[in-house]
Amino acid sequence: MEETTSVKQPVTDNTRERLLDRSEILFAHKGFAAVSVREITGSANCNLSAVNYYFGNKMNLYISVFKERWIPRMKQVRQYADDYLSSRQTIGISDIIRAFAKAFLDGPITDEERIYHFHLMQREIAHPTEALKMVVDEIIHPMHKDIRGLIKPSLPENLSSEKLALSIFTTISMILYFGFAQPVISLVMDQKFDPAFKSRVIDHIVSFAMNGINGLKKEETV
Amino acid sequence: MEETTSVKQPVTDNTRERLLDRSEILFAHKGFAAVSVREITGSANCNLSAVNYYFGNKMNLYISVFKERWIPRMKQVRQYADDYLSSRQTIGISDIIRAFAKAFLDGPITDEERIYHFHLMQREIAHPTEALKMVVDEIIHPMHKDIRGLIKPSLPENLSSEKLALSIFTTISMILYFGFAQPVISLVMDQKFDPAFKSRVIDHIVSFAMNGINGLKKEETV
DNA sequence: GTCTATAGCAGGATAGAC
DNA sequence: GTCTATCCTGCTATAGAC
């Protein structure tokens, strides 16, 4: 009842936190059905019945992973991009692209986090649960609208909003793909995803997308 | 023993074929672990033990889906792109991009097939089984090399092969994303994936990727 | 080649002691 | 809040009749 103000450790019981941490990785890696509660509690070093105690059932743990891990992480990524942009004097299209490419691929989250973060999302797209709608409504849709608002001033007034939206999706697709398909890319290119390569990838994405969007500008004014 | 040459129906027993057809859809939709043999045989309208009879066990059915459905379909898609290109007099970069964009998004396979085809692949990337190596070795790697060979003559000699490889991945990422993330795109853009929209998407991909690759050319010659 | 029956096991969830 | 013990369901795989 009485909250101590001890600084040492988080006050909240951390079995619950460990369950969220470990199950996120397992769900991302194998999918909801392929992970057993026994595996989760084993990995989180707690008792089998802890999942039911803290979350009621397995599905609710899964939903909670999105609410308490996935969405906050996306907000962190988003914040990184916003900070990057507000540190600039003037904001051009390439700054915006770089802000989001860096935020997603080289931002506040670790490489490991990034991979399971994307995998969770891909699984939801393939087989949506109620988590997908939550995530689209709370994160993806707003982010998309904000990016549109950022880019629009740099483009001709008469540019169709469909072309703009498609360009944003296209740019995001590149970013996500490099975050997601790393294993295949490494296999085909025979190239490890070390920091130097990652930085070249980000440069590549920025210039590729820039050229794409600028081309849009030309098309429209012709 | 004796094969009749009747034209009416495929000669081969078709319980096995139905199992492959139905299980591919189920595996793609829900993932290997989330689909039970009961569900598969129910969907294929055959007896529970048919999976074991024809494939030995559930995992071998899964592998067979890749061998006998996924890979042949990719070969079909690839053939479509090759046919498209060989029907042209001269082949520019935009023809090559269009050939593959059309092959993947508007080619010989149905929209439904395309979606579960991509989902199966995404699941393999997230949690590889022996199917992934088979698919990369037999299809993805060769296709990537062939595309590189097709595009190279249209680019400056001194272009680094890394930049070329990244551009190909980037272009493919756009194509795959529009094949895969249709549900999310539809949700965010409030736009159904009807044939007219799909054709605008293909045009968009071609011009976006063209501008990206041509920009590469300029960078290099500066 | 198709069926039923069942072995054998692993899963989620809960009750109740501590 | 953590533990053990247990219920019960549903799974894969196989044996053996037809």
Side-chain angles (χ1 to χ4, degrees):
Chain A
M1 217 110 187
E2 245 173 278
E3 294 218 352
T4 61
T5 43
S6 155
V7 208
K8 287 196 168 186
Q9 288 272 43
V11 187
T12 48
D13 166 64
N14 61 20
T15 295
R16 192 175 184 285
E17 300 302 308
R18 279 202 319 278
L19 281 171
L20 288 167
D21 289 339
R22 304 302 306 171
S23 68
E24 178 175 24
I25 296 173
L26 290 168
F27 285 145
H29 188 54
K30 304 181 163 189
F32 180 80
V35 181
S36 69
V37 173
R38 287 168 164 84
E39 192 176 0
I40 294 168
T41 53
S43 171
N45 242 306
C46 66
N47 189 267
L48 171 63
S49 45
V51 165
N52 292 85
Y53 179 75
Y54 286 105
F55 300 96
N57 58 43
K58 183 184 165 189
M59 177 50 83
N60 198 45
L61 166 60
Y62 178 79
I63 301 291
S64 300
V65 163
F66 277 88
K67 281 198 184 130
E68 302 183 38
R69 290 289 181 272
W70 203 95
I71 287 181
R73 190 179 302 116
M74 276 299 266
K75 290 189 172 159
Q76 225 184 316
V77 167
R78 176 60 198 278
Q79 190 58 52
Y80 181 98
D82 289 347
D83 290 348
Y84 179 92
L85 286 175
S86 60
S87 76
R88 320 247 123 197
Q89 306 288 353
T90 57
I91 298 178
I93 294 178
S94 76
D95 298 311
I96 298 163
I97 300 169
R98 185 173 295 274
F100 282 90
K102 269 182 75 79
F104 275 103
L105 297 179
D106 198 24
I109 61 178
T110 66
D111 286 349
E112 203 203 347
E113 269 184 294
R114 182 167 18 259
I115 289 194
Y116 60 71
H117 182 86
F118 286 160
H119 283 170
L120 264 187
M121 185 60 190
Q122 302 281 15
R123 289 189 184 282
E124 269 301 309
I125 291 176
H127 189 56
T129 68
E130 57 175 296
L132 182 64
K133 197 184 154 25
M134 190 172 73
V135 156
V136 169
D137 286 351
E138 255 191 77
I139 301 286
I140 297 181
H141 208 160
M143 188 182 288
H144 201 271
K145 272 172 70 179
D146 292 343
I147 296 178
R148 209 182 315 187
L150 280 169
I151 291 187
K152 203 157 191 171
S154 309
L155 290 175
E157 287 260 349
N158 60 338
L159 185 75
S160 83
S161 74
E162 180 176 287
K163 285 194 176 177
L164 177 54
L166 286 177
S167 298
I168 294 171
F169 273 120
T170 307
T171 306
I172 290 176
S173 76
M174 297 191 270
I175 297 172
L176 298 186
Y177 189 75
F178 279 101
F180 172 75
Q182 285 185 20
V184 174
I185 295 171
S186 290
L187 230 70
V188 172
M189 287 185 66
D190 194 24
Q191 163 73 57
K192 281 181 72 175
F193 252 79
D194 53 32
F197 180 61
K198 198 199 283 180
S199 127
R200 295 201 298 280
V201 164
I202 291 174
D203 288 342
H204 164 79
I205 290 174
V206 172
S207 78
F208 204 93
M210 261 293 284
N211 289 326
I213 295 178
N214 280 333
L216 214 68
K217 219 189 287 191
K218 266 175 259 161
E219 273 170 54
E220 206 63 20
T221 46
V222 163
Chain B
M1 214 115 191
E2 247 171 278
E3 293 217 353
T4 61
T5 42
S6 155
V7 207
K8 287 194 167 186
Q9 289 270 43
V11 186
T12 49
D13 167 66
N14 59 21
T15 294
R16 191 174 184 285
E17 300 301 308
R18 279 202 319 277
L19 280 171
L20 288 167
D21 289 339
R22 304 304 305 173
S23 68
E24 178 174 26
I25 297 173
L26 291 167
F27 285 145
H29 189 54
K30 304 181 164 190
F32 180 79
V35 181
S36 68
V37 174
R38 286 160 215 278
E39 193 176 358
I40 294 168
T41 53
S43 172
N45 243 303
C46 64
N47 188 268
L48 172 62
S49 45
V51 165
N52 292 83
Y53 179 76
Y54 286 105
F55 300 96
N57 57 43
K58 184 184 166 188
M59 178 49 85
N60 197 48
L61 166 60
Y62 179 79
I63 300 292
S64 301
V65 163
F66 278 88
K67 281 198 185 132
E68 302 183 37
R69 290 290 181 272
W70 203 95
I71 288 181
R73 190 181 301 114
M74 276 300 266
K75 291 190 171 160
Q76 225 184 316
V77 168
R78 176 61 199 277
Q79 190 59 51
Y80 180 98
D82 289 347
D83 290 348
Y84 180 92
L85 287 174
S86 60
S87 76
R88 320 246 123 199
Q89 306 286 354
T90 57
I91 299 177
I93 294 178
S94 76
D95 297 312
I96 298 163
I97 300 168
R98 185 173 295 275
F100 282 90
K102 270 181 73 81
F104 275 104
L105 297 178
D106 198 25
I109 61 178
T110 67
D111 286 350
E112 204 204 345
E113 270 184 294
R114 185 170 12 263
I115 289 192
Y116 61 71
H117 182 85
F118 287 159
H119 283 170
L120 263 188
M121 185 61 191
Q122 304 280 17
R123 289 189 184 282
E124 270 300 309
I125 292 175
H127 189 55
T129 68
E130 56 174 298
L132 183 63
K133 197 184 153 23
M134 188 172 72
V135 155
V136 169
D137 287 351
E138 254 191 77
I139 301 287
I140 298 181
H141 207 159
M143 188 182 287
H144 201 272
K145 273 172 68 180
D146 292 343
I147 296 178
R148 209 182 314 186
L150 280 170
I151 291 187
K152 204 156 193 175
S154 308
L155 289 175
E157 286 261 347
N158 60 338
L159 185 74
S160 83
S161 73
E162 180 176 286
K163 285 196 177 176
L164 178 53
L166 286 177
S167 299
I168 293 171
F169 273 119
T170 308
T171 305
I172 290 176
S173 77
M174 298 191 269
I175 296 172
L176 297 186
Y177 189 75
F178 279 101
F180 174 73
Q182 284 185 20
V184 174
I185 294 170
S186 290
L187 229 71
V188 172
M189 287 185 66
D190 194 25
Q191 163 74 56
K192 281 181 72 174
F193 252 79
D194 53 31
F197 179 60
K198 197 198 286 178
S199 126
R200 295 203 295 281
V201 164
I202 292 175
D203 287 341
H204 163 79
I205 290 174
V206 171
S207 78
F208 204 93
M210 261 294 284
N211 290 325
I213 294 179
N214 280 332
L216 214 69
K217 220 188 288 190
K218 264 176 261 160
E219 272 171 54
E220 205 62 22
T221 47
V222 162

mmCIF file of all heavy atoms in Angstrom, chain B residues 156-187:
data_model
loop_
_atom_site.group_PDB
_atom_site.id
_atom_site.type_symbol
_atom_site.label_atom_id
_atom_site.label_comp_id
_atom_site.label_asym_id
_atom_site.label_seq_id
_atom_site.Cartn_x
_atom_site.Cartn_y
_atom_site.Cartn_z
ATOM 1 N N PRO B 156 26.962 2.698 -65.143
ATOM 2 C CA PRO B 156 28.391 2.971 -65.338
ATOM 3 C C PRO B 156 29.239 1.788 -64.873
ATOM 4 O O PRO B 156 28.920 1.155 -63.861
ATOM 5 C CB PRO B 156 28.643 4.188 -64.433
ATOM 6 C CG PRO B 156 27.317 4.782 -64.158
ATOM 7 C CD PRO B 156 26.309 3.703 -64.290
ATOM 8 N N GLU B 157 30.279 1.525 -65.583
ATOM 9 C CA GLU B 157 31.187 0.407 -65.274
ATOM 10 C C GLU B 157 31.683 0.444 -63.829
ATOM 11 O O GLU B 157 31.800 -0.566 -63.161
ATOM 12 C CB GLU B 157 32.415 0.464 -66.200
ATOM 13 C CG GLU B 157 32.163 0.054 -67.628
ATOM 14 C CD GLU B 157 32.587 -1.387 -67.877
ATOM 15 O OE1 GLU B 157 33.280 -1.941 -67.003
ATOM 16 O OE2 GLU B 157 32.209 -1.954 -68.915
ATOM 17 N N ASN B 158 31.991 1.677 -63.398
ATOM 18 C CA ASN B 158 32.697 1.797 -62.118
ATOM 19 C C ASN B 158 31.758 1.811 -60.908
ATOM 20 O O ASN B 158 32.203 2.045 -59.795
ATOM 21 C CB ASN B 158 33.553 3.072 -62.120
ATOM 22 C CG ASN B 158 32.685 4.313 -62.325
ATOM 23 O OD1 ASN B 158 31.576 4.213 -62.855
ATOM 24 N ND2 ASN B 158 33.168 5.465 -61.898
ATOM 25 N N LEU B 159 30.454 1.569 -61.124
ATOM 26 C CA LEU B 159 29.528 1.559 -59.994
ATOM 27 C C LEU B 159 29.870 0.408 -59.047
ATOM 28 O O LEU B 159 30.035 -0.734 -59.485
ATOM 29 C CB LEU B 159 28.095 1.393 -60.507
ATOM 30 C CG LEU B 159 27.021 1.485 -59.431
ATOM 31 C CD1 LEU B 159 26.833 2.922 -58.973
ATOM 32 C CD2 LEU B 159 25.710 0.915 -59.922
ATOM 33 N N SER B 160 29.950 0.702 -57.769
ATOM 34 C CA SER B 160 30.315 -0.349 -56.820
ATOM 35 C C SER B 160 29.237 -1.420 -56.801
ATOM 36 O O SER B 160 28.041 -1.120 -56.885
ATOM 37 C CB SER B 160 30.495 0.237 -55.420
ATOM 38 O OG SER B 160 29.256 0.356 -54.767
ATOM 39 N N SER B 161 29.652 -2.653 -56.682
ATOM 40 C CA SER B 161 28.665 -3.729 -56.730
ATOM 41 C C SER B 161 27.803 -3.712 -55.467
ATOM 42 O O SER B 161 26.683 -4.193 -55.459
ATOM 43 C CB SER B 161 29.348 -5.082 -56.920
ATOM 44 O OG SER B 161 29.986 -5.461 -55.725
ATOM 45 N N GLU B 162 28.323 -3.123 -54.378
ATOM 46 C CA GLU B 162 27.487 -3.022 -53.189
ATOM 47 C C GLU B 162 26.306 -2.094 -53.437
ATOM 48 O O GLU B 162 25.168 -2.408 -53.067
ATOM 49 C CB GLU B 162 28.287 -2.524 -51.984
ATOM 50 C CG GLU B 162 27.424 -2.428 -50.741
ATOM 51 C CD GLU B 162 28.208 -2.022 -49.495
ATOM 52 O OE1 GLU B 162 28.960 -2.864 -48.971
ATOM 53 O OE2 GLU B 162 28.056 -0.869 -49.045
ATOM 54 N N LYS B 163 26.573 -0.967 -54.066
ATOM 55 C CA LYS B 163 25.466 -0.041 -54.326
ATOM 56 C C LYS B 163 24.418 -0.665 -55.231
ATOM 57 O O LYS B 163 23.219 -0.469 -55.042
ATOM 58 C CB LYS B 163 26.010 1.253 -54.947
ATOM 59 C CG LYS B 163 26.695 2.139 -53.916
ATOM 60 C CD LYS B 163 26.890 3.554 -54.420
ATOM 61 C CE LYS B 163 27.518 4.402 -53.310
ATOM 62 N NZ LYS B 163 27.827 5.761 -53.744
ATOM 63 N N LEU B 164 24.891 -1.421 -56.188
ATOM 64 C CA LEU B 164 23.949 -2.097 -57.077
ATOM 65 C C LEU B 164 23.116 -3.116 -56.303
ATOM 66 O O LEU B 164 21.885 -3.150 -56.410
ATOM 67 C CB LEU B 164 24.714 -2.776 -58.220
ATOM 68 C CG LEU B 164 23.866 -3.572 -59.210
ATOM 69 C CD1 LEU B 164 22.733 -2.736 -59.768
ATOM 70 C CD2 LEU B 164 24.730 -4.110 -60.342
ATOM 71 N N ALA B 165 23.784 -3.917 -55.489
ATOM 72 C CA ALA B 165 23.069 -4.935 -54.716
ATOM 73 C C ALA B 165 22.051 -4.285 -53.781
ATOM 74 O O ALA B 165 20.902 -4.738 -53.672
ATOM 75 C CB ALA B 165 24.054 -5.780 -53.919
ATOM 76 N N LEU B 166 22.450 -3.184 -53.130
ATOM 77 C CA LEU B 166 21.517 -2.504 -52.228
ATOM 78 C C LEU B 166 20.310 -1.966 -52.998
ATOM 79 O O LEU B 166 19.180 -2.020 -52.516
ATOM 80 C CB LEU B 166 22.228 -1.355 -51.500
ATOM 81 C CG LEU B 166 23.194 -1.775 -50.393
ATOM 82 C CD1 LEU B 166 23.888 -0.556 -49.797
ATOM 83 C CD2 LEU B 166 22.448 -2.525 -49.288
ATOM 84 N N SER B 167 20.563 -1.464 -54.192
ATOM 85 C CA SER B 167 19.448 -0.935 -54.978
ATOM 86 C C SER B 167 18.468 -2.032 -55.359
ATOM 87 O O SER B 167 17.249 -1.818 -55.378
ATOM 88 C CB SER B 167 19.970 -0.255 -56.245
ATOM 89 O OG SER B 167 20.804 0.815 -55.883
ATOM 90 N N ILE B 168 19.007 -3.196 -55.653
ATOM 91 C CA ILE B 168 18.117 -4.300 -56.009
ATOM 92 C C ILE B 168 17.282 -4.711 -54.792
ATOM 93 O O ILE B 168 16.065 -4.871 -54.892
ATOM 94 C CB ILE B 168 18.926 -5.491 -56.555
ATOM 95 C CG1 ILE B 168 19.558 -5.096 -57.891
ATOM 96 C CG2 ILE B 168 18.041 -6.714 -56.726
ATOM 97 C CD1 ILE B 168 20.541 -6.119 -58.420
ATOM 98 N N PHE B 169 17.940 -4.828 -53.651
ATOM 99 C CA PHE B 169 17.181 -5.160 -52.439
ATOM 100 C C PHE B 169 16.122 -4.112 -52.149
ATOM 101 O O PHE B 169 15.009 -4.418 -51.744
ATOM 102 C CB PHE B 169 18.115 -5.282 -51.231
ATOM 103 C CG PHE B 169 18.684 -6.657 -51.069
ATOM 104 C CD1 PHE B 169 20.042 -6.865 -51.115
ATOM 105 C CD2 PHE B 169 17.851 -7.744 -50.889
ATOM 106 C CE1 PHE B 169 20.572 -8.141 -50.979
ATOM 107 C CE2 PHE B 169 18.371 -9.027 -50.755
ATOM 108 C CZ PHE B 169 19.738 -9.219 -50.807
ATOM 109 N N THR B 170 16.489 -2.866 -52.333
ATOM 110 C CA THR B 170 15.553 -1.782 -52.054
ATOM 111 C C THR B 170 14.329 -1.884 -52.953
ATOM 112 O O THR B 170 13.189 -1.751 -52.508
ATOM 113 C CB THR B 170 16.257 -0.435 -52.272
ATOM 114 O OG1 THR B 170 17.467 -0.431 -51.539
ATOM 115 C CG2 THR B 170 15.379 0.695 -51.826
ATOM 116 N N THR B 171 14.594 -2.147 -54.225
ATOM 117 C CA THR B 171 13.487 -2.255 -55.174
ATOM 118 C C THR B 171 12.606 -3.455 -54.828
ATOM 119 O O THR B 171 11.376 -3.365 -54.800
ATOM 120 C CB THR B 171 14.041 -2.396 -56.601
ATOM 121 O OG1 THR B 171 14.923 -1.305 -56.857
ATOM 122 C CG2 THR B 171 12.917 -2.397 -57.608
ATOM 123 N N ILE B 172 13.260 -4.563 -54.538
ATOM 124 C CA ILE B 172 12.489 -5.751 -54.163
ATOM 125 C C ILE B 172 11.690 -5.491 -52.888
ATOM 126 O O ILE B 172 10.545 -5.916 -52.764
ATOM 127 C CB ILE B 172 13.428 -6.963 -53.983
ATOM 128 C CG1 ILE B 172 13.958 -7.380 -55.352
ATOM 129 C CG2 ILE B 172 12.720 -8.115 -53.296
ATOM 130 C CD1 ILE B 172 14.967 -8.505 -55.299
ATOM 131 N N SER B 173 12.296 -4.761 -51.955
ATOM 132 C CA SER B 173 11.587 -4.493 -50.706
ATOM 133 C C SER B 173 10.269 -3.771 -50.957
ATOM 134 O O SER B 173 9.262 -4.059 -50.323
ATOM 135 C CB SER B 173 12.465 -3.691 -49.750
ATOM 136 O OG SER B 173 12.518 -2.326 -50.127
ATOM 137 N N MET B 174 10.282 -2.837 -51.912
ATOM 138 C CA MET B 174 9.038 -2.115 -52.214
ATOM 139 C C MET B 174 7.991 -3.062 -52.761
ATOM 140 O O MET B 174 6.828 -3.045 -52.366
ATOM 141 C CB MET B 174 9.320 -1.034 -53.257
ATOM 142 C CG MET B 174 10.286 0.010 -52.802
ATOM 143 S SD MET B 174 10.324 1.405 -53.945
ATOM 144 C CE MET B 174 11.608 0.904 -55.051
ATOM 145 N N ILE B 175 8.436 -3.903 -53.689
ATOM 146 C CA ILE B 175 7.496 -4.837 -54.318
ATOM 147 C C ILE B 175 6.908 -5.785 -53.272
ATOM 148 O O ILE B 175 5.697 -5.974 -53.183
ATOM 149 C CB ILE B 175 8.214 -5.639 -55.424
ATOM 150 C CG1 ILE B 175 8.683 -4.695 -56.541
ATOM 151 C CG2 ILE B 175 7.299 -6.712 -55.981
ATOM 152 C CD1 ILE B 175 9.562 -5.359 -57.595
ATOM 153 N N LEU B 176 7.784 -6.356 -52.457
ATOM 154 C CA LEU B 176 7.306 -7.316 -51.458
ATOM 155 C C LEU B 176 6.372 -6.648 -50.455
ATOM 156 O O LEU B 176 5.351 -7.197 -50.059
ATOM 157 C CB LEU B 176 8.485 -7.950 -50.715
ATOM 158 C CG LEU B 176 9.451 -8.771 -51.556
ATOM 159 C CD1 LEU B 176 10.473 -9.459 -50.667
ATOM 160 C CD2 LEU B 176 8.715 -9.807 -52.393
ATOM 161 N N TYR B 177 6.729 -5.445 -50.057
ATOM 162 C CA TYR B 177 5.936 -4.750 -49.053
ATOM 163 C C TYR B 177 4.499 -4.530 -49.536
ATOM 164 O O TYR B 177 3.549 -4.747 -48.786
ATOM 165 C CB TYR B 177 6.596 -3.409 -48.742
ATOM 166 C CG TYR B 177 6.000 -2.684 -47.566
ATOM 167 C CD1 TYR B 177 6.262 -3.098 -46.270
ATOM 168 C CD2 TYR B 177 5.184 -1.583 -47.754
ATOM 169 C CE1 TYR B 177 5.731 -2.431 -45.192
ATOM 170 C CE2 TYR B 177 4.653 -0.896 -46.672
ATOM 171 C CZ TYR B 177 4.927 -1.332 -45.399
ATOM 172 O OH TYR B 177 4.393 -0.660 -44.335
ATOM 173 N N PHE B 178 4.380 -4.135 -50.802
ATOM 174 C CA PHE B 178 3.030 -3.903 -51.311
ATOM 175 C C PHE B 178 2.271 -5.214 -51.499
ATOM 176 O O PHE B 178 1.045 -5.238 -51.496
ATOM 177 C CB PHE B 178 3.065 -3.100 -52.613
ATOM 178 C CG PHE B 178 3.234 -1.627 -52.374
ATOM 179 C CD1 PHE B 178 4.467 -1.010 -52.537
ATOM 180 C CD2 PHE B 178 2.166 -0.853 -51.944
ATOM 181 C CE1 PHE B 178 4.634 0.347 -52.291
ATOM 182 C CE2 PHE B 178 2.323 0.502 -51.695
ATOM 183 C CZ PHE B 178 3.558 1.104 -51.874
ATOM 184 N N GLY B 179 2.995 -6.307 -51.667
ATOM 185 C CA GLY B 179 2.326 -7.594 -51.751
ATOM 186 C C GLY B 179 1.947 -8.110 -50.382
ATOM 187 O O GLY B 179 0.984 -8.834 -50.204
ATOM 188 N N PHE B 180 2.705 -7.696 -49.391
ATOM 189 C CA PHE B 180 2.584 -8.288 -48.069
ATOM 190 C C PHE B 180 1.717 -7.471 -47.120
ATOM 191 O O PHE B 180 0.870 -7.994 -46.414
ATOM 192 C CB PHE B 180 3.991 -8.419 -47.479
ATOM 193 C CG PHE B 180 4.034 -8.882 -46.061
ATOM 194 C CD1 PHE B 180 3.762 -10.190 -45.748
ATOM 195 C CD2 PHE B 180 4.333 -7.997 -45.044
ATOM 196 C CE1 PHE B 180 3.793 -10.624 -44.441
ATOM 197 C CE2 PHE B 180 4.355 -8.423 -43.732
ATOM 198 C CZ PHE B 180 4.091 -9.734 -43.433
ATOM 199 N N ALA B 181 1.947 -6.178 -47.110
ATOM 200 C CA ALA B 181 1.324 -5.337 -46.091
ATOM 201 C C ALA B 181 0.012 -4.712 -46.559
ATOM 202 O O ALA B 181 -0.460 -3.729 -45.992
ATOM 203 C CB ALA B 181 2.303 -4.268 -45.631
ATOM 204 N N GLN B 182 -0.578 -5.323 -47.582
ATOM 205 C CA GLN B 182 -1.836 -4.804 -48.101
ATOM 206 C C GLN B 182 -2.863 -4.454 -47.023
ATOM 207 O O GLN B 182 -3.484 -3.397 -47.093
ATOM 208 C CB GLN B 182 -2.434 -5.797 -49.094
ATOM 209 C CG GLN B 182 -1.736 -5.793 -50.443
ATOM 210 C CD GLN B 182 -2.422 -6.701 -51.449
ATOM 211 O OE1 GLN B 182 -3.593 -7.048 -51.309
ATOM 212 N NE2 GLN B 182 -1.686 -7.076 -52.479
ATOM 213 N N PRO B 183 -3.054 -5.323 -46.027
ATOM 214 C CA PRO B 183 -4.066 -4.989 -45.021
ATOM 215 C C PRO B 183 -3.789 -3.655 -44.331
ATOM 216 O O PRO B 183 -4.691 -2.837 -44.160
ATOM 217 C CB PRO B 183 -3.957 -6.134 -44.022
ATOM 218 C CG PRO B 183 -3.301 -7.256 -44.742
ATOM 219 C CD PRO B 183 -2.447 -6.658 -45.803
ATOM 220 N N VAL B 184 -2.529 -3.432 -43.954
ATOM 221 C CA VAL B 184 -2.192 -2.193 -43.259
ATOM 222 C C VAL B 184 -2.304 -0.993 -44.191
ATOM 223 O O VAL B 184 -2.827 0.057 -43.817
ATOM 224 C CB VAL B 184 -0.770 -2.273 -42.662
ATOM 225 C CG1 VAL B 184 -0.365 -0.937 -42.073
ATOM 226 C CG2 VAL B 184 -0.708 -3.348 -41.601
ATOM 227 N N ILE B 185 -1.810 -1.161 -45.415
ATOM 228 C CA ILE B 185 -1.875 -0.061 -46.374
ATOM 229 C C ILE B 185 -3.333 0.335 -46.612
ATOM 230 O O ILE B 185 -3.686 1.514 -46.611
ATOM 231 C CB ILE B 185 -1.189 -0.457 -47.691
ATOM 232 C CG1 ILE B 185 0.312 -0.663 -47.447
ATOM 233 C CG2 ILE B 185 -1.405 0.604 -48.759
ATOM 234 C CD1 ILE B 185 1.051 -1.277 -48.620
ATOM 235 N N SER B 186 -4.168 -0.677 -46.806
ATOM 236 C CA SER B 186 -5.586 -0.382 -47.027
ATOM 237 C C SER B 186 -6.187 0.373 -45.852
ATOM 238 O O SER B 186 -6.955 1.310 -46.014
ATOM 239 C CB SER B 186 -6.367 -1.682 -47.245
ATOM 240 O OG SER B 186 -6.022 -2.261 -48.484
ATOM 241 N N LEU B 187 -5.793 -0.057 -44.653
ATOM 242 C CA LEU B 187 -6.325 0.567 -43.439
ATOM 243 C C LEU B 187 -5.905 2.030 -43.362
ATOM 244 O O LEU B 187 -6.717 2.912 -43.075
ATOM 245 C CB LEU B 187 -5.781 -0.178 -42.214
ATOM 246 C CG LEU B 187 -6.772 -0.598 -41.138
ATOM 247 C CD1 LEU B 187 -7.652 -1.726 -41.631
ATOM 248 C CD2 LEU B 187 -6.044 -1.038 -39.874
#
